Amino acid sequence: MKELATAILLAIALEGMFYSLFPGGAKRVLELVQEIPESQLRIGGLIAAVVAIGAIWAVRVWL
């Protein structure tokens, strides 16, 4: 549970850094996301999640 909380907080921190360092870019990205169909967002999110979980598994096994 401790690791899950750490991972979630790290993701929030990284997102916060993105918004604070590149506020204009973040706004443009959010505008572009509005134009992407929901089905493509779901597929892209699923692919990103699977790749990330695979990478976490690989790091834990091999490092």
Side-chain angles (χ1 to χ4, degrees):
M1 193 64 169
K2 183 178 177 181
E3 291 176 345
L4 176 61
T6 301
I8 291 170
L9 293 171
L10 178 59
I12 293 169
L14 290 172
E15 186 174 358
M17 286 190 304
F18 173 71
Y19 287 126
S20 66
L21 293 173
F22 310 105
K27 288 173 96 174
R28 284 191 297 276
V29 167
L30 292 173
E31 289 171 3
L32 291 172
V33 167
Q34 293 292 321
E35 299 174 11
I36 300 172
E38 286 185 19
S39 59
Q40 283 185 323
L41 287 174
R42 277 194 188 94
I43 292 169
L46 180 61
I47 290 169
V50 169
V51 168
I53 290 169
I56 291 168
W57 172 81
V59 165
R60 290 185 167 268
V61 169
W62 290 321
L63 294 182

